[in-house]
Amino acid sequence: MSIRTINRRETLVRLSDLLDRVQPDHPVWVSLSGQRIRAADLQDWLRSARAIALSFRRKKVAILAANDLELGTLLLLFDGVASEMAILPTGQDERTLQAIVIESKIDSVVTIGGEITVPGCDVVTLDIPPVGTFLRSDRCIPMDVRPQSRSTASAFQTHGVGGTTTRSVCVEDRAPAGGGSVDGQMNEVLPTRWILPTSGTTGRPKLVSHTLASLSRSVKSDLERGKEFVWGSLYSLGSFAGLQVFLQSLFGGSTIILSNDSTTLTDRIAAFCDLKCNALSATPTMWRMILMTGAANSLDLKRITLGGEICDQPILDQLRKLFPTARVTHIYASTEAGVGFAVRDGMEGFPAHFLSEPPDGIQLRRSEAGTLLVKPAKLEQSYSDPQRELAGSDGFIDTEDMIERRGDRFHFAGRASGMINVGGRKVHPHDVERALLKHPAVSMARVSAKRNPFTGSIVESEVVLAEGAELDPVDAPSILVRFCRESLEPYKVPAIVSLVDSIEISATGKIKR
């Protein structure tokens, strides 16, 4: 398979085919504990697991995993085999996950390490030892299959492995569903649709159906350059942003460190340092938290990417100062629109000429309501709900992100649905947060609305002071209010400033609103 073929998407490829483009000993993944998982390890596992995959051929499956390493194996296993593959995000309650499964009309939920019960749906739990250590023979993969329905149970058999009776799938002994050989069916690649839920920051997650081509539209496939990078990510792999880092690593022939969401931030950064991570991706909020811990001083980074939230000038300046030789990129993307564009000039917002000179073929426009409209060169994604249109008749997707022009740049102001109504005048929380974050004593800030009988709402803010800040906690609220008055209109100035030890972060690495 040539890089040219992948770049132009001239033929349908599945995710696992990308393993053929690197040397067998190339470390594709590294666990936080330092276990290096080579391309050959993954290919051996996939060959042995073909019978498992073919049990779900042409079906709609939802996948749930306890960590990124396990989720990665499921993505490789089912892409090109299942007709649809819904990724169930971590950090969501079971009711939300059930709603995603039901709305997607899923046939079977397949999970490694996760727990879920969905009435009327097959749920199969696979207990699979870590990749690289589980192969006990050339014929079988030992695993414990605990189905919650008889129809699923009948698809698996019991075999003895190493003198111990283990519930397992035996590749040679089990004929694939639909007739034909295992190899023959696996060589036929299906155009799997990837079902991704939005972050749900502003309400119930919406389900967006993508193709591998639409997900990988912006990734680079330069293997010679890609092998230089060891990627770390503070996004969950199940999120759109996490998938972008994962796919960039696979397409580019890099190595990615896959971690466990339950690991503390300090431990993850320490592991990234030990594992020679030189490319790291996270939300602006997570980058602030990294800088607060001081752990970033030990990182030696060549690439830094930010996304998922509005990227402000203070965080860009701090990263540029700490990592003067790294290329810092903030990326605009969403689950619905895909990757829109990347900005690498060290300035917040994006150049106004992007509207007249589309970056990477992605057309941009500002709606009459002030929101950013995005038009991909080829629209392959859609909402899973056929009654809901993702794009307008002109092909533009309304991102619902407000933008304002200031000089020769556009700046993001926040979500259209997130504005605060103060006596009939609109306040974007990010405008106030941006003002607060410019104070050297402030490391994090969250702005919200507080109901008021006279104005409808007033602006309330929570602030985390920077470690070692020379600001008296008693005087800090009034000092910060006066500081905001220097740059904000009176109605935008926070009426309440509360000092807090921390601000809650969502599973997607964003400030929880």
Side-chain angles (χ1 to χ4, degrees):
M1 181 184 309
S2 67
I3 298 175
R4 178 175 175 272
T5 298
I6 292 175
N7 280 337
R8 294 190 177 185
R9 311 295 187 265
E10 293 170 349
T11 60
L12 181 65
V13 297
R14 58 186 160 214
L15 199 60
S16 59
D17 290 336
L18 298 174
L19 300 173
D20 296 330
R21 302 171 63 238
V22 296
Q23 295 297 318
D25 287 339
H26 172 71
V28 180
W29 301 341
V30 181
S31 69
L32 278 186
S33 63
Q35 182 188 23
R36 298 184 181 276
I37 300 166
R38 306 167 305 154
D41 297 326
L42 290 168
Q43 288 172 322
D44 286 346
W45 179 72
L46 288 169
R47 279 192 291 270
S48 298
R50 285 172 175 169
I52 302 174
L54 291 177
S55 299
F56 302 94
R57 184 170 177 77
R58 299 188 185 278
K59 292 186 177 181
K60 298 180 179 181
V61 302
I63 55 178
L64 177 66
N67 57 58
D68 288 352
L69 192 62
E70 293 169 351
L71 178 57
T73 59
L74 291 178
L75 294 175
L76 288 172
L77 182 62
F78 289 113
D79 181 53
V81 176
S83 61
E84 293 186 11
M85 177 173 62
I87 301 176
L88 300 181
T90 58
Q92 294 283 0
D93 60 81
E94 187 171 66
R95 181 173 296 181
T96 300
L97 298 180
Q98 289 173 341
I100 293 172
V101 171
I102 293 170
E103 185 177 336
S104 303
K105 298 182 172 64
I106 292 299
D107 297 315
S108 301
V109 177
V110 181
T111 174
I112 303 177
E115 293 185 6
I116 185 174
T117 302
V118 184
C121 182
D122 292 343
V123 178
V124 178
T125 300
L126 307 178
D127 284 344
I128 304 179
V131 175
T133 63
F134 60 85
L135 293 179
R136 310 285 181 85
S137 73
D138 293 333
R139 298 176 60 241
C140 299
I141 306 172
M143 64 182 63
D144 180 17
V145 181
R146 296 192 300 273
Q148 295 181 2
S149 71
R150 289 187 178 181
S151 60
T152 307
S154 63
F156 300 92
Q157 301 176 19
T158 301
H159 296 270
V161 180
T164 304
T165 301
T166 310
R167 294 182 64 84
S168 63
V169 176
C170 188
V171 177
E172 294 180 7
D173 291 351
R174 185 179 180 279
S181 68
V182 171
D183 288 341
Q185 290 202 30
M186 286 302 293
N187 288 334
E188 181 189 354
V189 182
L190 298 181
T192 301
R193 301 290 302 190
W194 296 48
I195 310 301
L196 308 179
T198 61
S199 63
T201 305
T202 57
R204 179 178 170 180
K206 299 183 287 289
L207 301 182
V208 184
S209 174
H210 275 274
T211 64
L212 181 58
S214 66
L215 288 171
S216 59
R217 184 177 62 209
S218 67
V219 303
K220 310 301 181 185
S221 298
D222 186 344
L223 294 180
E224 193 62 30
R225 189 67 187 276
K227 67 182 182 183
E228 301 175 11
F229 300 110
V230 177
W231 279 95
S233 172
L234 292 178
Y235 299 106
S236 168
L237 177 52
S239 67
F240 180 84
L243 277 174
Q244 288 301 300
V245 184
F246 180 76
L247 292 173
Q248 177 56 66
S249 177
L250 274 178
F251 274 84
S254 303
T255 298
I256 186 171
I257 303 168
L258 295 180
S259 56
N260 191 324
D261 291 340
S262 63
T263 310
T264 67
L265 177 62
T266 301
D267 288 344
R268 290 169 84 172
I269 298 300
F272 288 165
C273 293
D274 293 340
L275 297 171
K276 309 301 182 185
C277 171
N278 59 13
L280 185 55
S281 186
T283 62
T285 292
M286 294 303 293
W287 275 111
R288 290 191 189 94
M289 294 178 67
I290 293 171
L291 295 176
M292 287 169 60
T293 66
N297 296 321
S298 302
L299 290 167
D300 183 13
L301 299 177
K302 297 179 181 179
R303 294 286 186 270
I304 292 173
T305 61
L306 306 90
E309 294 177 305
I310 297 173
C311 190
D312 55 65
Q313 198 61 47
I315 190 64
L316 289 172
D317 291 343
Q318 290 178 66
L319 290 172
R320 183 167 50 188
K321 181 179 179 180
L322 188 59
F323 304 102
T325 61
R327 189 178 76 177
V328 180
T329 305
H330 54 107
I331 299 171
Y332 179 79
S334 70
T335 309
E336 295 97 324
V339 175
F341 52 86
V343 182
R344 300 188 179 94
D345 61 7
M347 304 295 291
E348 65 180 329
F350 61 93
H353 68 75
F354 275 14
L355 269 66
S356 57
E357 302 170 20
D360 298 323
I362 307 297
Q363 295 184 53
L364 306 177
R365 185 188 297 172
R366 187 174 185 265
S367 72
E368 293 183 1
T371 57
L372 177 64
L373 306 179
V374 176
K375 183 179 181 180
K378 183 179 181 181
L379 186 66
E380 297 184 72
Q381 64 266 40
S382 62
Y383 282 122
S384 289
D385 182 357
Q387 304 301 316
R388 187 169 191 160
E389 293 292 336
L390 180 66
S393 58
D394 57 0
F396 278 90
I397 300 170
D398 190 340
T399 67
E400 300 183 17
D401 287 320
M402 304 292 295
I403 56 173
E404 300 173 346
R405 182 160 184 168
R406 302 173 197 161
D408 62 354
R409 296 184 79 83
F410 279 98
H411 293 258
F412 289 97
R415 300 288 291 174
S417 59
M419 292 188 292
I420 302 171
N421 189 334
V422 180
R425 288 181 287 193
K426 305 298 184 183
V427 178
H428 294 291
H430 182 71
D431 287 345
V432 186
E433 292 171 359
R434 181 191 290 117
L436 287 165
L437 288 167
K438 288 180 179 179
H439 195 288
V442 176
S443 63
M444 292 185 69
R446 174 170 59 188
V447 169
S448 57
K450 182 176 177 63
R451 293 185 62 83
N452 181 276
F454 302 105
T455 61
S457 298
I458 57 174
V459 178
E460 179 180 30
S461 65
E462 296 172 292
V463 168
V464 178
L465 294 180
E467 186 175 352
E470 296 180 359
L471 205 60
D472 189 321
V474 176
D475 299 330
S478 59
I479 291 173
L480 293 174
V481 168
R482 289 197 299 270
F483 182 77
C484 287
R485 284 178 182 149
E486 297 175 6
S487 59
L488 296 175
E489 293 91 335
Y491 66 93
K492 293 184 178 180
V493 175
I496 301 172
V497 175
S498 303
L499 302 185
V500 296
D501 293 330
S502 63
I503 291 175
E504 188 176 4
I505 308 301
S506 71
T508 55
K510 304 177 185 180
I511 288 180
K512 208 161 189 177
R513 304 285 179 179

